[in-house]
Every structure is written in structure tokens, then in C-alpha cells.
Amino acid sequence: MQATEVTQNQSVSIIHEDKKLSFREKVAAMIGAMMGTMHNQIIATFLLFFYTDIMEISPAYVAGLFLFARIIDAILVPVFGVFVDKVTTPWGKYVPYFAILGIPTAIFGWLTFTDFGLSPTGKLIYVSVTYLVYSILISIKYAPNVAVGPAITKRIDDRISMGQISYILVMVGALFATLGFQPLYKALGGGSDAKGFSLVMGIVAVIGILISIFQVTSLKEKYIDQNSKGKKRLSFKEMNRAIFTNKAAVIVYTYILAINLANGIRSAIMIHYFKYYFNNEGLLVTFGAVGILPTMIGVMLSGPITKRFGIKINVLTAAIVNVVCTASIMFIPNTSTGVTLFLAVNVIASFFLGVATPAQGSMMPAAMDYTEWKTGMNVNGFMGSIQGFVQTLATAISGAVAAGALHFVGYVPGVEQSSETIFGLKLLMGILPAVVLIFTASVAWFDITEEKQKQIAKELAERRQQNAL
């Protein structure tokens, strides 16, 4: 009789665990992606330009700074991920970090894009310190941002829905960076780009602080093992083995690195490409605007398409289309017809990206659950920190590649570029990112199906109930 009651109580509790998230909770969990994208996109699109053309710092120094920042991240980010997994605060395991890290990220974002008119040596010291801190904060912030998803829901429909909400919010952040940022800093600067950059990043900082407060007051973690304090502390070696023997996690990291690296190279070069190839710097805004509608249509269709064809087929198709569209840029002439062709290619790529991204966003939570199911280790914070490191690594490498490539192809700011330099810009916009994007096809080997995810979620719920007895 007692065993029957326990079984019934477990079933009721598992059903309760399976309760759908509210819209507010989904937004609170995913809005961090908007801020992360906004910061990364602003860095990718404008920081190289800000450093070289406004603060007048050598592109070679900037390239070195970007790479050095990644070395620091490589040391600190995994350490922070381990710390998050081993420590549970009185206010939660992941949620408190939205404020602890979100507020200083906002402040250092403003400092990074503010020129205080220092001496040449003072500028080098200032940009080195502010960018390093800014970069580290962005990198370690991914650990709680990514890990919180599996801690609040195990439902696949919630995860797909969160992926759709995330992508819409990401689009808001990206569109602000690509459409709104340049006009704003031009308008607010009143003829001084340096002043404009500082004022706009001040606005971004205020928004970021308010969002951090919204997140910590809206989210509650439900899937954290409350008996974890009594368990053996995991070593760094054990955590690494648990993650990197998980094929699904390695595939997701490879995909994220490739797509962010390719897009980062294009973003860093795009303003130069439009200005010197099409002789129209304003196309940067048009480019972002034209991609909005097809992307939104793709996001809205993502749910039924994913349900019909599955996560893997959806993401793989988009990867192939993205490679072809990116490589085709090499054949687009610098004419009015060429501008139309460039925008048309962007429409096609944006649609497929919109369809695939919500589905791709559900792959890391699935990989996290698989790691816990297979090894008994909850290392979501560490896995999230690695994802954050991979994304910021891609941003920095792409910035360093772009900065170094500009120097290599003979780019000189503010003058008419040579034919060799123009060809170099085309390679950086087309062939190089297309080659990198080929690695996104690794999703063909992702084998955690939707049915397998449901079974894993069920067995994890049963384990939690048994541990609670």
C-alpha cells in the first residue's frame, strides 16, 4: 500500500514538473540572448571601426588585443563554469548571476565605447583594460544564461517556443545594432561620432540593468537536485570527460563556433565592404531592414516545419543554404543590379536562418540533459560557460582576422581603395566565411531525436523523485 502511494505521489510530482512555462518566464529566460547579441553585434560591427577610425589605434594592436582577450577567457571561463556548477546561492543556482554579471556588463559596455581623449599611451592602456573586462563579463555570462533553460523546463514544446521567442528577441538586439545604432550615434553625436558612441552605449547600459532586474524577479528554478550538497564534488577532469565524450555537445559547439566565426568576419568587414565596394555606407541599414520580414516568417514557420521534418533536417538544410548564399557574394558586381542581387541573397539566407535557429536553440538543452542522464552529472553551468567561450572566441577571432586581413590587403581608412584591396574585401565577405560555414553541416551527426529527448526527460524526473525520498 505504501509503495503504491509513493508511486502515485511520484507520478503526480512528475506531472507537476511538466507544467508549461508562462510567457513571462520564457521571455525572462531568453531576453539575455537579446542583450548578448546586441553587445556581440555592436562589438563585431563597430568596435574595430571605433578603435581604428575614432580612437586612431593601429589595426595590428587591435588584432593583438582581441586575441589576447581570448587567452584570458580561455583561462577564466571554464573556471567560472565549474564554480557555477559547484555553488548554489540562497537565491538560486543560475538566476542570481543575471544581476551579478548583467549590471557590470552594461557599465563596461559603455566604458569600452567611450573616448575620454587620453594620450596615445593612455588610450592603449584604457582600451586594453575596458575591453578585457567587457569581454570576460560577456563570456562568463553565458554559463547561467544557457544553463537556466534545463533548470526551468524539460518540455520540448517549451524549448521550441523559447527558441522562437529567443530568436525574435535576438532579432530585436541585432536590428538595433545594425539598423538603429549607426543613425543613433550619428544623431546624438551632433557631428562627433565619439560622443555619439558613448551616448548610445549609455542607453544600452540602462536597458541592460533594467533587464537584469526583470530576469531575477521573474524566474524560478525547478529542476535542480536539492540533495546535491551531499554528493561528491566533481573534479575538472570528470566534468570535461562528461562533456567532451558527449557527441551531441561537441556537434553543437562546432556549429556555434562556425556560424559565429563566419558571421563575425562578415559583420566586421561589412561596413568597409559597403563603403568601398558599393560606395554606399548607408546600405548597412538597408541590409538589416531587408532581412527582417523573411526572418520573421521563418521563425513563425519554425515550429510546424521542425515538427514535420525534425530538428536535424531543419538545421542541416539551413546550413547548406547559408554556405551557398555566402559564397555567391563573390559573383555579385558593384552595380545597382549587384546591390539588388546582394539583398536578394540576404532574403533567402535570412528565411532559412529564421526557420532553423529556434530548432538549433533546443539542441544544447538536449545535450545538457543527455550528459546528466548518461553520467549522472549536472554540469549545465560548465557546458553553458563553454558555449559562451566558443561564441566570444568566435567574435574575437573574427575581429582579429578582419583587422589583420585589412592590414594585409592594404586597407587605408578614408581613402579610395586599390583594386587588390577591394578584391580582398570580397574574399572576406564571401569565400572565407563560406568555407567556415561548411563546418555547420556537422549537425548531420546529431542523434538525440525528439522521442529520445522525451524519454530522457522522463527518466531524469524519476531519478529526482527517487533522490527526494
Side-chain angles (χ1 to χ4, degrees), residues 80-102:
F80 183 75
V82 173
F83 173 80
V84 170
D85 280 325
K86 291 187 175 183
V87 175
T88 300
T89 75
W91 307 277
K93 194 171 185 67
Y94 308 119
V95 172
Y97 293 104
F98 292 142
I100 294 171
L101 301 178

Side-chain angles (χ1 to χ4, degrees), residues 9-24:
N9 289 336
Q10 287 178 353
S11 299
V12 171
S13 187
I14 291 171
I15 291 172
H16 178 70
E17 280 193 342
D18 208 32
K19 182 180 178 182
K20 295 191 70 171
L21 294 177
S22 69
F23 180 73
R24 174 177 176 145

Side-chain angles (χ1 to χ4, degrees), residues 156-178:
I156 297 175
D157 58 344
D158 268 348
R159 290 175 176 179
I160 296 295
S161 176
M162 288 165 67
Q164 292 174 309
I165 291 171
S166 174
Y167 196 72
I168 291 172
L169 292 172
V170 162
M171 283 296 299
V172 172
L175 288 174
F176 173 80
T178 56

Side-chain angles (χ1 to χ4, degrees), residues 9 110 140 159 183 251 293 353 382 435:
N9 289 336
W110 169 69
I140 64 177
R159 290 175 176 179
I251 288 171
L293 182 59
L353 188 63
F382 189 40
V435 170

Side-chain angles (χ1 to χ4, degrees), residues 2 9 19 35 62 77 84 103 150 179 250 285 296 328 426:
Q2 186 177 4
N9 289 336
K19 182 180 178 182
M35 293 307 299
V62 176
V77 170
V84 170
I103 293 173
L179 299 183
V250 174
V285 175
M296 297 305 294
S328 69
K426 290 179 67 176

Side-chain angles (χ1 to χ4, degrees), residues 162-204:
M162 288 165 67
Q164 292 174 309
I165 291 171
S166 174
Y167 196 72
I168 291 172
L169 292 172
V170 162
M171 283 296 299
V172 172
L175 288 174
F176 173 80
T178 56
L179 299 183
F181 195 88
Q182 185 186 49
L184 271 178
Y185 84 69
K186 290 287 186 183
L188 296 179
S192 170
D193 285 350
K195 178 182 177 183
F197 270 104
S198 182
L199 288 174
V200 176
M201 288 305 291
I203 295 171
V204 171

